[in-house]
Amino acid sequence: MFIRIAQSFNTISRSIIAFLILDIILITTTLPWNIVVMFTDSFSALSISMLALVAVIAYTISSPALAAAFAAYRDSPIMRYGENDDVRLRRNRTYESIAAVADPYWSVEEENRTARPYLRAYVSLFGRSLITSLMFGAILAVLVEALCLALSSPNGSIVAAVLMALSAITIVAHMTALNLVVEFPNAHYLAILRNGFLLTAAKWPFALLAMIVLAIYMGMMLHWPWFMLLFGTGLVFFFLYHCVEHITRHVVEQMIAEES
């Protein structure tokens, strides 16, 4: 019994350490976004619409880090605490046998590692995730600029509410698309764009949950920025991953069923 308790404690400790390491890496790989959020006062000379545009650009440039984090939560054994080893091995063999689905981003030898496989996944996913993010970023920039115009209008409250909802949907659709990039490395960009929105609409309860997580994240970043930056970023991305993973899961399962 004491041996089992010690083993569980050791596993939990390694998971916590892995999340902290990932947090430190994410501080660097999402640096443009972190600068805008942490030092908003430094951009006080900008108009609201220009500041919003800067935030969208920073978010878009930082998005490949989110895709690599999704790869970590997908395949890193130490971040999938409680998962049976046999289940993980069977899933990895299935991924490796299906050409359309990405192979595991973590190798068996890297079971207890975080930094090296994450950075390798970051480099591997950077190009496709950035292009995907630029497509969604362009849509989001238009929506945000329209939102700023609506807010400046005396009778634009209803339009502003609609544009705010569309912006939130676009952000979740973008994260869904990033997970599709992680899962399907050869998918066409327009298919990723289309399915990002369609899957988000089809699985709206999980999309709504992701919006709530994002709202909590932004609220805490505004009130306790350094705490969230150092200890909360990886955890928030973890919750977002499980939201978008539920949104895209049936597509992955369908692809595996068709190819098997």
Side-chain angles (χ1 to χ4, degrees):
M1 176 174 141
F2 290 108
I3 294 176
R4 286 200 300 270
I5 293 174
Q7 289 174 339
S8 298
F9 178 78
N10 182 49
T11 303
I12 293 171
S13 299
R14 286 191 285 112
S15 296
I16 293 173
I17 291 171
F19 272 99
L20 291 175
I21 292 172
L22 184 58
D23 259 336
I24 294 171
I25 298 171
L26 287 171
I27 290 172
T28 303
T29 52
T30 59
L31 190 60
W33 170 252
N34 291 330
I35 290 174
V36 172
V37 174
M38 299 291 293
F39 303 104
T40 305
D41 293 342
S42 302
F43 300 91
S44 57
L46 300 176
S47 64
I48 295 296
S49 60
M50 185 58 66
L51 177 59
L53 184 60
V54 169
V56 169
I57 293 172
Y59 166 75
T60 301
I61 295 173
S62 301
S63 293
L66 181 58
F70 286 175
Y73 304 135
R74 173 190 189 255
D75 291 326
S76 173
I78 202 170
M79 293 189 180
R80 299 182 67 91
Y81 174 74
E83 184 178 53
N84 184 275
D85 290 343
D86 292 335
V87 172
R88 183 173 63 253
L89 288 173
R90 284 198 301 270
R91 185 185 68 250
N92 289 348
R93 290 195 191 102
T94 301
Y95 287 161
E96 291 168 350
S97 66
I98 306 298
V101 178
D103 290 344
Y105 291 91
W106 260 244
S107 67
V108 176
E109 295 77 16
E110 296 170 325
E111 179 175 338
N112 296 317
R113 295 183 178 180
T114 302
R116 184 181 298 178
Y118 171 86
L119 293 174
R120 188 176 61 245
Y122 178 80
V123 172
S124 173
L125 293 165
F126 184 86
R128 289 183 60 80
S129 59
L130 182 60
I131 293 173
T132 300
S133 299
L134 288 172
M135 294 190 298
F136 280 92
I139 297 171
L140 189 60
V142 172
L143 290 172
V144 168
E145 289 302 303
L147 174 61
C148 291
L149 290 174
L151 289 172
S152 64
S153 173
N155 299 315
S157 56
I158 296 177
V159 176
V162 172
L163 290 169
M164 193 175 296
L166 290 175
S167 299
I169 292 170
T170 301
I171 292 173
V172 177
H174 170 234
M175 293 183 178
T176 301
L178 287 179
N179 199 50
L180 291 174
V181 170
V182 172
E183 295 285 1
F184 305 107
N186 300 316
H188 295 295
Y189 289 112
L190 290 180
I192 291 173
L193 178 68
R194 180 179 66 251
N195 286 311
F197 283 105
L198 291 177
L199 292 172
T200 298
K203 300 289 184 178
W204 64 266
F206 294 106
L208 181 60
L209 182 58
M211 292 178 198
I212 293 172
V213 172
L214 284 169
I216 294 172
Y217 166 73
M218 288 304 301
M220 293 189 72
M221 279 294 288
L222 291 173
H223 289 89
W224 303 287
W226 288 107
F227 176 83
M228 280 300 295
L229 188 67
L230 294 172
F231 301 108
T233 305
L235 188 61
V236 169
F237 286 3
F238 178 77
F239 285 124
L240 288 173
Y241 167 73
H242 283 284
C243 290
V244 299
E245 191 272 336
H246 277 84
I247 292 174
T248 60
R249 179 182 295 175
H250 74 282
V251 178
V252 179
E253 292 174 347
Q254 181 180 350
M255 181 64 70
I256 291 174
E258 291 176 355
E259 296 288 333
S260 298

